[in-house]
Amino acid sequence: MNSSSLKHSAASLFPWPRTLVTGATSGIGLALTRQLAEAGAPVLALGRNAEALAPLRAVHPHIEFIPGDLSDLASLEALAADLVSRYPDLACLINNAGMQHNVLFDQAECTAERIRSEIDLNLTAPMVLTRALLPHLRSQRAAWVVNVTSGLAFAPKPSAAVYSATKAGLHLFTEALRLQMQGRNKLQVVEAIMPLVDTPMTQGRGRNKLPASEAAAQVIEGLRTGRDNIWVGKAKGIPWLQRLAPSLLARILRGG
């Protein structure tokens, strides 16, 4: 299937196929879970807080809560095998879970353990989970891997050195996987690039934040129209600023 026909299939598959959303109990992940369910998609909501999903599951009983700790990298192969066994129609993975320790790199709070935990959750876990699910996804009629990154992948801010590095890594991983998959199967690899979004992670910092519900809606619209790169909200200006005003882009993102 060529790129144009694959994108056409994305537009025609709504209601969306069964989708695994990581970090589904908060922020963008919770909004994605809600809106996908409202669009008719059966959703596997992976997270650690079942109570946060209880009201939503009462309205959309086809949402399945999947307990899981993505920081436990050794458990992800078994988790993926269990999901494939229980849900053979799983056809979309949205790697959304993430954390940000908003500290300067030379502060005492920036410990080796914090660095490792941020890298594990933001970068290593999406790679490991994608790799574990890849054979199954490639066997589907059409399938998607969606990696949620950030404008900070393109210009970092001082108090999020590790987070910025992990999102830059996830950005390049997405591009590399997309190149590897070209012409080989029906798997579309998508990057959703976020601006500053109003979530529990960003509480108390930044202004004019995009509501999580709007960020999720733009991701879903990008999937509906078959885009490989979904620039969300103010992040739409990043490609233009990269070419014409990179120093301005750096100043803008330093304040996020």
Side-chain angles (χ1 to χ4, degrees):
M1 182 181 293
N2 62 33
S3 177
S4 62
S5 61
L6 177 58
K7 291 181 179 183
H8 177 73
S9 73
S12 65
L13 276 177
F14 270 76
W16 198 247
R18 188 177 299 276
T19 298
L20 174 63
V21 179
T22 71
T25 58
S26 180
I28 297 169
L30 183 59
L32 282 167
T33 298
R34 175 184 293 108
Q35 292 180 30
L36 284 167
E38 289 171 352
V43 183
L44 304 178
L46 193 151
R48 292 183 292 180
N49 184 2
E51 292 183 3
L53 272 179
L56 189 57
R57 292 181 68 200
V59 179
H60 299 287
H62 57 289
I63 294 174
E64 295 280 348
F65 175 68
I66 307 296
D69 181 0
L70 291 173
S71 64
D72 182 6
L73 300 175
S75 71
L76 298 186
E77 290 277 356
L79 172 65
D82 179 63
L83 291 175
V84 167
S85 174
R86 293 167 58 194
Y87 307 100
D89 59 341
L90 174 61
C92 180
L93 165 63
I94 301 181
N95 286 310
N96 163 78
M99 69 163 68
Q100 181 182 140
H101 297 306
N102 199 44
V103 297
L104 294 174
F105 199 69
D106 60 352
Q107 288 180 319
E109 296 93 326
C110 189
T111 62
E113 181 55 37
R114 276 194 165 193
I115 292 170
R116 179 177 178 178
S117 66
E118 206 164 352
I119 293 171
D120 283 350
L121 182 61
N122 295 354
L123 180 58
T124 312
M127 289 180 169
V128 172
L129 187 57
T130 299
R131 176 62 189 88
L133 288 172
L134 196 60
H136 171 75
L137 292 174
R138 291 182 63 187
S139 73
Q140 301 300 298
R141 182 172 65 87
W144 291 260
V145 171
V146 183
N147 292 328
V148 176
T149 68
S150 165
L152 296 180
F154 302 89
K157 72 171 186 173
S159 60
V162 178
Y163 180 85
S164 300
T166 61
K167 291 302 182 181
L170 191 58
H171 161 69
L172 286 177
F173 168 69
T174 306
E175 290 198 336
L177 183 63
R178 185 184 296 149
L179 287 172
Q180 183 179 339
M181 295 295 107
Q182 279 181 358
R184 295 182 55 187
N185 54 44
K186 304 172 290 294
L187 179 68
Q188 185 172 355
V189 182
V190 179
E191 181 176 6
I193 305 98
M194 294 292 163
L196 186 62
V197 178
D198 190 8
T199 68
M201 187 181 77
T202 66
Q203 188 173 8
R205 60 180 177 84
R207 295 177 297 175
N208 301 317
K209 292 182 279 192
L210 186 71
S213 59
E214 179 57 28
Q218 291 187 32
V219 172
I220 292 172
E221 180 59 22
L223 292 173
R224 188 190 301 272
T225 55
R227 279 182 277 161
D228 289 332
N229 295 306
I230 304 170
W231 299 90
V232 175
K234 293 179 180 178
K236 291 183 177 73
I238 289 176
W240 180 85
L241 288 169
Q242 274 188 306
R243 291 192 301 271
L244 301 178
S247 60
L248 176 60
L249 173 63
R251 288 199 300 273
I252 291 171
L253 292 177
R254 278 200 298 268

